[in-house]
Amino acid sequence: MTETQCAAPCAAEDDLRLIVDRHARRLDGLEDDVDTLKSGQSAMMERLISIEAQGQERERNRAAQAQDTRNALAALTQQLAEQTGAQRRQNELAEDSLRRWRKLAVVAGLLCTIGAAVGSTLLSDQEVASTIWVQWLHLREPWDMPPQGMPNAGS
């Protein structure tokens, strides 16, 4: 620029170079700062990506552990159901056996009761008792025997 083109007196050529050099150094400093910020931002992005990947890995591990727990719980539930079913079946078999024994005991009790009733009725009759003792068993009747240690009144 010439002096005629400038409204004010123009600065010397050396002054402009100093200004341009200062601006160039400031621009270099700003570029360095921007580069530093970009590298910091890249490092932060990498760290964020790493943290997110770790979080996803933890979530996958938790999901796998939860699935393992659910599977173990389902297996345990099935085992308990099988055990309960087996116990129930054993109880049913034991109850069936007990019912059979009870029926047998009732029948045996009825037979004994009937036998006792018939026996007491028959044995209370002296003629039937005499027939059993003398004719069938070939023994003397117990009421005709003399008591031990006492002499016979007729001898």
Side-chain angles (χ1 to χ4, degrees):
M1 279 206 225
T2 63
E3 279 191 54
T4 56
Q5 293 175 339
C6 294
C10 287
E13 197 69 32
D14 291 333
D15 290 341
L16 289 176
R17 282 192 186 141
L18 287 175
I19 294 172
V20 170
D21 284 340
R22 272 189 263 150
H23 283 298
R25 277 191 301 249
R26 285 182 64 198
L27 283 175
D28 287 341
L30 288 175
E31 286 175 357
D32 288 341
D33 290 344
V34 168
D35 288 341
T36 303
L37 288 174
K38 282 184 181 179
S39 67
Q41 185 180 15
S42 295
M44 286 176 37
M45 286 301 291
E46 288 174 5
R47 178 80 175 133
L48 181 62
I49 290 170
S50 172
I51 290 171
E52 187 175 341
Q54 290 172 354
Q56 288 174 352
E57 182 65 25
R58 277 194 296 271
E59 185 61 32
R60 278 192 296 274
N61 289 341
R62 281 191 200 122
Q65 287 174 345
Q67 185 62 39
D68 290 345
T69 303
R70 283 191 292 272
N71 291 342
L73 189 58
L76 182 62
T77 303
Q78 183 178 2
Q79 288 174 354
L80 283 174
E82 289 172 358
Q83 179 68 22
T84 303
Q87 275 185 330
R88 187 178 299 131
R89 181 66 182 147
Q90 287 176 346
N91 289 344
E92 289 172 359
L93 291 174
E95 287 177 15
D96 288 345
S97 176
L98 184 62
R99 276 190 221 109
R100 281 190 223 114
W101 280 107
R102 283 181 182 166
K103 286 179 185 178
L104 184 62
V106 167
V107 168
L110 286 175
L111 289 176
C112 289
T113 303
I114 291 171
V118 168
S120 66
T121 302
L122 289 178
L123 291 177
S124 68
D125 185 20
Q126 205 164 19
E127 287 180 22
V128 173
S130 293
T131 303
I132 292 172
W133 283 104
V134 175
Q135 291 181 6
W136 292 347
L137 299 176
H138 303 292
L139 300 172
R140 289 185 59 184
E141 295 172 342
W143 49 87
D144 286 342
M145 293 170 92
Q148 296 289 344
M150 289 179 110
N152 251 347
S155 7

